[in-house]
Amino acid sequence: MTALATERRERLHRRVRFIVAFTITYNVIEAIVAITAGMLASSAALIGFGLDSVVEVLSAVAIAWQFTRKDPERWEKATVRAIGLTFFALAAYVSIDAILSLISQEGPEHSPLGIGITALSLLVMPLLASFEIRTGRELGSKSVLADARQLMLCVYLSGAVFIGLILNSLFGWWWADSVAALIVAALAIREGIEAWRGDVESPFEVLTEMKDE
């Protein structure tokens, strides 16, 4: 029984390393595309979205570091707090960027590339986050769950930037992405506080409980 439990845990550790490797690879590509699209369209929101991808890479690197240790559980608290700091950094940048955009009254130009990359993120990230959440819950790892919440925050940010780009392109609502970004920043602060306290649970937990009932 112990051998089986140990074998399962090692398999889950390998799965975490796979998730981390995929996350880093995808987000490096996403960051390059989004920042390039943002520069071409003079879109602060898209550039912020690209920098969010950089933050996600840092979060994934923290998890990768933890699960290369001989005893990953020993480094749980430090890793969760490191991820909490990435939430705060993201919230600070997004807030400053959104406020400056509102003050200058400058909205993004039409960007098919930006719309495409944010739409792709809306498809990929929820699946990856769900996979990581299931793995983290089975492992009982708060750091893995915290990283999954970082991925879910990317989904919210992707949706905000996507909607902002669409509304600006269709109706000229230059302020839409900035307002949505401020909402995302508020969510990031909340997630950061919970991660720092170690109070991490699955964002899909309520849906799971409803399904079980």
Side-chain angles (χ1 to χ4, degrees):
M1 187 73 176
T2 303
L4 287 175
T6 301
E7 181 181 351
R8 179 59 180 170
R9 180 169 293 276
E10 290 176 353
R11 184 177 300 175
L12 290 172
H13 284 184
R14 289 195 297 271
R15 185 187 295 178
V16 170
R17 288 192 287 270
F18 167 78
I19 293 171
V20 166
F22 182 87
T23 300
I24 291 174
T25 302
Y26 179 85
N27 279 287
V28 167
I29 296 172
E30 184 178 75
I32 294 171
V33 174
I35 292 173
T36 300
M39 293 176 66
L40 292 174
S42 299
S43 170
L46 269 175
I47 293 174
F49 175 69
L51 292 177
D52 167 66
S53 299
V54 175
V55 170
E56 287 175 49
V57 170
L58 296 176
S59 177
V61 166
I63 297 294
W65 174 84
Q66 180 190 356
F67 280 86
T68 56
R69 305 297 93 188
K70 180 175 292 187
D71 183 13
E73 288 74 18
R74 178 184 175 187
W75 304 95
E76 185 86 1
K77 184 175 181 180
T79 305
V80 171
R81 287 198 165 184
I83 293 172
L85 290 176
T86 67
F87 279 118
F88 294 136
L90 175 60
Y93 177 83
V94 170
S95 298
I96 293 171
D97 180 74
I99 292 171
L100 290 176
S101 295
L102 288 172
I103 292 174
S104 62
Q105 298 186 9
E106 292 181 359
E109 297 178 9
H110 178 61
S111 175
L113 182 60
I115 291 173
I117 191 63
T118 51
L120 179 61
S121 183
L122 286 172
L123 294 175
V124 173
M125 285 301 159
L127 296 175
L128 186 61
S130 177
F131 186 44
E132 187 170 22
I133 285 167
R134 292 196 302 271
T135 304
R137 291 182 71 177
E138 189 172 351
L139 270 174
S141 172
K142 290 185 177 182
S143 61
V144 173
L145 289 175
D147 187 60
R149 294 183 80 157
Q150 179 69 271
L151 295 180
M152 286 305 301
L153 188 62
C154 173
V155 176
Y156 304 145
L157 185 57
S158 300
V161 176
F162 177 79
I163 292 171
L165 291 172
I166 292 293
L167 291 178
N168 183 64
S169 296
L170 294 178
F171 306 110
W173 292 1
W174 58 267
W175 45 266
D177 61 331
S178 295
V179 172
L182 288 174
I183 295 173
V184 172
L187 290 172
I189 293 173
R190 188 192 69 180
E191 300 290 345
I193 292 173
E194 291 183 359
W196 187 263
R197 291 174 176 173
D199 182 20
V200 181
E201 60 183 25
S202 165
F204 297 118
E205 189 163 312
V206 175
L207 294 179
T208 303
E209 291 174 354
M210 290 174 62
K211 184 177 179 180
D212 291 340
E213 290 175 0

